[in-house]
Amino acid sequence: MSTVYVNEKSGKDAADATGSEQSPFASPAYALYTNPDAKVLIYKQVEEGEDSKFEYVEISASALKKAKKGAEGLKKKAEKQAKMKEETQNLPKVEALDLNSIEEDKSLPEAKKIKLGKILENVDSRVLVQGWIHRLRVQKGLAFITLRDGTGFLQCVLTGDLAKARQTQELTIESTVAIKGVISKLPEGKTAPGGVELKADYYKILGLAPGGEDAFTNKIQEGADPSLLLDQRHLTLRGESLSAVMKVRAAFLKSIRRVYVEEGLLEVTPPCMVQTQVEGGSTLFKMDYYGEEAFLTQSSQLYLETCLPALGDVYCVQESFRAEKSHTRRHLSEYTHIEAELGFLSFDDLLKHIETVIVKTVQYVLEDPVAGKLIEQLNPGFKAPQLPFKRMQYIDALDWLNERGILNDEGKPFSFGDDIAEAQERKMVDTINEPILLTRFPVEIKSFYMQKCKDDPRVTESVDVLMPNVGEITGGSMRSYEYEDLLAGFKREKIDPAPYYWFLDQRRYGTCEHGGYGLGTERILAWLCDRFTVRDCSLYPRFTGRCKP
């Protein structure tokens, strides 16, 4: 068995790469495409810290499985290119086609420039539409273009000289065009986006996309290796599913802001560059800030708490950053964090507020004329959550798991103080199959700032919101509001309180019972849109080993 070497940073997937240690490939998929039976060695970090060490090691079983799938995609791509080349050779020569240019009939009524989202308002009108060719079918004397401009899709029909023209024969997927014509309703029995089509009387090419080997359909292929698709994220965003998720995302952010206004919360914008931690130092991204040590924020919570005395209840929509070397389907290194802090409330008040925000936000998203229909397409049968959510204490969750023989990560029955890992948590919530407010977690597995329960100081007034098929989407708690309690929390977690002087002042200069929470936008979208991974819910996902394009 031969051996091929893969180095994602210095290698290249090209014909002049040999796959040797001196001339490695850039991806395992290309390596197996070139040599299907080869042993694959990956250049990776094997030791961390100051004495970090890199060397070639054999590819893991899971990575090998993905690579084989990617190699199959590359094989299909090559076969498709060969077929296209053969078909192109059999086409009539361009010089033999009827027309070389298209002239507009100036006697026609002036065309009204519109976006595709407005097509139903302009039936029987002559319009000008502009966009990208999403689908294309050219046949003898007839051409069908499905146009896309981000606001919608429209079928455009070219007939006669328009279809025969040389430029029509040279059209390619993802070319940009401007088309004029009359929008009309489709006859019964025919289908097209919106139930209408545009009968073109003139069009021009604004930007011709490449064909042949560089054609868009060769760049983006269904079933390709996920890492290859992520390299081409700027192009995969043009796909119907991914762009639909982004539109639902926009509707979700608009809807939750609407709910916060109705609930009396004010939006603020905390900093992303900080010098304090919230969720543990091991997940901080460090940076040099004019010679001082600083970090990218894990959470805006501490800053939101400082706003309560000045601005009342507040929220923010802000990026958070966590340097977790996790490759699970629900973790990102950068994600959109929706956080809120509220004053003068009880733990029960906080729970009711959280479930109200989620229920009302989902209701508004489903009522949105664009997002509601897209969720129906992406997640058929989605049922909106209803109030109230099921309440379940941590200790009762342990009993539920133990009664069903579900073991902890060490293969033992759960005992008090164990963290309920993702797999076990998902098993529970998927079986119960309804939203759960999981509460009262032990002090030792929660953050330093969480308020202890008055009736049981072993546990905190904390909550995770769990949804079927996705798991945790929200985490929150009441905050320690006594100065000494907060100092004890710092001591327990071995955190120097000095840099937190401004946070401690919130307990010195007038304190109150208060609480807050954070919602992971991408996790909620994965639940709403039925996506397998949160990476599909971020415009350009960032996670371990991925910071491009």
Side-chain angles (χ1 to χ4, degrees):
M1 178 187 292
S2 60
T3 300
V4 289
Y5 293 82
V6 175
N7 188 322
E8 292 184 357
K9 292 185 178 180
S10 65
K12 59 180 179 178
D13 292 339
D16 58 344
T18 63
S20 65
E21 191 169 357
Q22 293 73 33
S23 179
F25 295 122
S27 71
Y30 191 85
L32 289 178
Y33 165 67
T34 304
N35 193 337
D37 299 318
K39 178 181 178 181
V40 180
L41 298 182
I42 306 290
Y43 191 71
K44 64 185 296 185
Q45 185 174 356
V46 292
E47 291 182 14
E48 298 181 9
E50 294 181 4
D51 299 322
S52 60
K53 182 181 179 183
F54 290 80
E55 62 183 42
Y56 280 102
V57 297
E58 189 168 354
I59 190 171
S60 67
S62 60
L64 181 62
K65 185 177 179 181
K66 288 182 181 178
K68 287 180 177 178
K69 187 176 180 181
E72 187 62 31
L74 291 172
K75 182 181 176 183
K76 289 179 180 178
K77 174 182 174 180
E79 291 171 350
K80 185 175 180 181
Q81 288 175 346
K83 185 179 178 182
M84 286 176 61
K85 186 175 181 180
E86 182 182 345
E87 290 174 349
T88 303
Q89 289 173 345
N90 296 327
L91 289 174
K93 291 183 179 179
V94 169
E95 291 79 5
L97 298 172
D98 297 334
L99 294 173
N100 287 321
S101 62
I102 297 173
E103 298 293 334
E104 182 177 1
D105 184 350
K106 299 296 185 181
S107 68
L108 294 172
E110 184 177 353
K112 176 185 177 184
K113 181 179 174 181
I114 66 166
K115 294 283 189 181
L116 298 186
K118 302 289 185 181
I119 54 174
L120 295 181
E121 301 171 19
N122 290 276
V123 174
D124 297 328
S125 299
R126 185 170 187 257
V127 299
L128 163 64
V129 292
Q130 301 169 99
W132 288 259
I133 297 178
H134 191 66
R135 294 190 186 90
L136 174 65
R137 180 158 54 95
V138 180
Q139 54 196 59
K140 189 175 181 180
L142 201 61
F144 292 92
I145 293 174
T146 299
L147 197 66
R148 181 193 75 242
D149 73 349
T151 69
F153 297 86
L154 174 63
Q155 177 172 284
C156 305
V157 183
L158 280 58
T159 59
D161 289 347
L162 286 182
K164 296 175 185 176
R166 173 178 178 171
Q167 70 177 49
T168 303
Q169 305 300 316
E170 295 176 339
L171 277 178
T172 50
I173 297 290
E174 292 303 317
S175 294
T176 43
V177 293
I179 307 178
K180 293 182 180 181
V182 176
I183 297 174
S184 58
K185 289 188 176 180
L186 283 174
E188 194 171 335
K190 292 189 176 182
T191 58
V196 298
E197 67 181 10
L198 181 142
K199 294 179 179 176
D201 55 58
Y202 170 77
Y203 88 97
K204 67 177 179 178
I205 299 172
L206 304 177
L208 188 65
E213 187 175 335
D214 289 329
F216 182 83
T217 48
N218 288 332
K219 286 276 191 180
I220 305 299
Q221 290 194 331
E222 189 175 347
D225 186 286
S227 64
L228 297 178
L229 292 177
L230 284 167
D231 287 342
Q232 303 297 326
R233 187 70 165 190
H234 57 295
L235 298 180
T236 59
L237 283 170
R238 303 183 184 197
E240 291 180 33
S241 294
L242 197 49
S243 62
V245 173
M246 293 304 115
K247 290 175 182 177
V248 174
R249 180 186 173 104
F252 169 76
L253 292 173
K254 179 177 71 174
S255 298
I256 200 165
R257 281 186 164 101
R258 173 183 170 186
V259 172
Y260 281 137
V261 169
E262 293 173 355
E263 294 295 311
L265 278 73
L266 184 74
E267 183 170 6
V268 294
T269 310
C272 281
M273 294 182 288
V274 301
Q275 292 185 307
T276 50
Q277 67 185 60
V278 181
E279 301 294 344
S282 63
T283 64
L284 285 166
F285 281 109
K286 293 184 180 180
M287 57 184 289
D288 182 277
Y289 187 74
Y290 303 111
E292 290 187 83
E293 185 179 65
F295 317 101
L296 294 177
T297 185
Q298 301 163 314
S299 166
S300 298
Q301 175 205 321
L302 307 189
Y303 293 96
L304 293 181
E305 287 190 46
T306 68
C307 296
L308 293 177
L311 303 172
D313 299 341
V314 291
Y315 77 96
C316 70
V317 180
Q318 185 74 288
E319 297 303 289
S320 281
F321 305 85
R322 295 194 180 174
E324 292 177 276
K325 292 188 176 179
S326 174
H327 282 278
T328 76
R329 57 185 174 132
R330 65 176 193 172
H331 282 95
L332 291 168
S333 296
E334 176 185 8
Y335 64 99
T336 303
H337 207 175
I338 301 170
E339 299 181 88
E341 287 292 323
L342 301 94
F344 301 103
L345 82 169
S346 67
F347 185 42
D348 190 55
D349 292 335
L350 179 66
L351 298 181
K352 289 178 181 177
H353 167 82
I354 291 173
E355 64 185 359
T356 297
V357 167
I358 292 172
V359 168
K360 288 178 70 175
T361 299
V362 171
Q363 175 192 334
Y364 293 158
V365 172
L366 294 176
E367 290 173 355
D368 184 274
V370 174
K373 292 177 181 177
L374 291 175
I375 289 176
E376 286 179 20
Q377 296 171 20
L378 296 165
N379 193 2
F382 173 79
K383 290 184 174 58
Q386 302 295 317
L387 294 172
F389 291 178
K390 178 182 179 65
R391 264 71 165 168
M392 188 178 196
Q393 292 187 24
Y394 163 87
I395 192 68
D396 296 325
L398 297 190
D399 291 340
W400 189 98
L401 293 164
N402 288 333
E403 287 168 5
R404 288 157 181 80
I406 300 172
L407 304 176
N408 65 17
D409 277 353
E410 296 177 355
K412 300 176 182 178
F414 281 91
S415 58
F416 187 85
D418 287 346
D419 193 11
I420 304 175
E422 179 186 1
Q424 294 89 329
E425 181 183 87
R426 287 284 303 276
K427 179 72 173 177
M428 180 179 70
V429 69
D430 289 353
T431 301
I432 295 172
N433 199 32
E434 62 176 297
I436 299 173
L437 293 175
L438 190 60
T439 63
R440 294 168 65 100
F441 290 88
V443 171
E444 57 264 32
I445 64 172
K446 283 298 179 180
S447 297
F448 68 88
Y449 52 77
M450 292 190 179
Q451 179 69 28
K452 295 178 182 177
C453 293
K454 294 179 178 62
D455 62 338
D456 185 354
R458 299 179 307 154
V459 296
T460 54
E461 291 185 323
S462 53
V463 58
D464 284 352
V465 182
L466 310 179
M467 287 292 177
N469 302 320
V470 71
E472 181 192 346
I473 61 170
T474 304
S477 75
M478 296 298 288
R479 317 307 194 190
S480 293
Y481 59 92
E482 295 289 353
Y483 185 83
E484 295 301 327
D485 288 346
L486 194 54
L487 280 179
F490 282 127
K491 185 177 181 180
R492 184 180 73 245
E493 299 299 324
K494 297 181 174 57
I495 298 172
D496 179 7
Y500 296 82
Y501 70 93
W502 51 274
F503 183 61
L504 285 163
D505 276 353
Q506 303 309 306
R507 279 72 180 168
R508 296 177 65 222
Y509 293 92
T511 189
C512 73
E513 286 190 289
H514 63 285
Y517 56 92
L519 294 85
T521 300
E522 290 77 13
R523 288 191 185 181
I524 291 181
L525 287 168
W527 165 57
L528 280 174
C529 300
D530 192 27
R531 299 297 92 183
F532 177 75
T533 170
V534 292
R535 297 173 188 178
D536 290 340
C537 304
S538 173
L539 194 66
Y540 284 93
R542 300 294 186 240
F543 51 92
T544 308
R546 170 64 57 178
C547 197
K548 68 176 182 182

